[in-house]
Amino acid sequence: MWEGGRSTVSFVLGLILIAVGLIPILNQFGVIPFGLPAFLSGLVSSIIIWLIAGSGLYLIIESFMEGLDEPSAKWLLIVGLVVLALGLIPLLNSLGVIQFTVPLLSMMLFRIIFVIEGILMIIGAFNM
């Protein structure tokens, strides 16, 4: 059910995350002939860890707003925690707080995470 403000924010953020993740993936595989504009692509690549951690935190907050009795809220919480960890570990490593990182993280994996988060945010917008 659509509830206005929170639902609109989740829906718009979900669409943005899907676009930021899916357009470069489709461009890389030659499905579409265009990519993100250079300024946006450079901006996303420089703050991608912050975006991953922030959107993971937003998924966690959204799961609590939905109420943890809902099955979709439980999925939002689980994915939010995993994504928050995937964002925080490299971020804390780059700041020198921790000495380890996740070795398998690549730009393609970050883009896939953006698409998954975007889809979950859109689902959450209709379940709030």
Side-chain angles (χ1 to χ4, degrees):
M1 179 173 204
W2 196 264
E3 291 193 14
R6 285 191 326 219
S7 298
T8 304
V9 169
S10 293
F11 186 77
V12 170
L13 282 176
L15 287 177
I16 290 170
L17 285 175
I18 288 173
V20 166
L22 196 58
I23 290 174
I25 290 172
L26 293 176
N27 181 296
Q28 184 176 350
F29 289 124
V31 176
I32 58 174
F34 59 89
L36 293 175
F39 77 92
L40 185 58
S41 182
L43 178 69
V44 169
S45 65
S46 65
I47 61 169
I48 197 160
I49 303 291
W50 292 91
L51 290 173
I52 294 284
S55 56
L57 180 62
Y58 186 80
L59 282 176
I60 293 169
I61 292 169
E62 192 173 288
S63 71
F64 282 105
M65 287 192 300
E66 271 190 47
L68 292 177
D69 297 336
E70 297 289 324
S72 61
K74 291 176 184 170
W75 280 107
L76 285 175
L77 180 63
I78 292 168
V79 172
L81 289 170
V82 169
V83 168
L84 181 64
L86 286 175
L88 278 180
I89 291 172
L91 181 64
L92 292 174
N93 179 273
S94 69
L95 296 173
V97 176
I98 59 175
Q99 300 301 317
F100 63 92
T101 190
V102 181
L104 300 175
L105 293 179
S106 66
M107 195 58 112
M108 178 60 83
L109 182 61
F110 284 137
R111 291 175 179 150
I112 292 169
I113 290 171
F114 277 153
V115 172
I116 292 169
E117 284 178 321
I119 291 169
L120 287 173
M121 283 184 186
I122 290 173
I123 291 170
F126 288 102
N127 284 338
M128 282 188 186

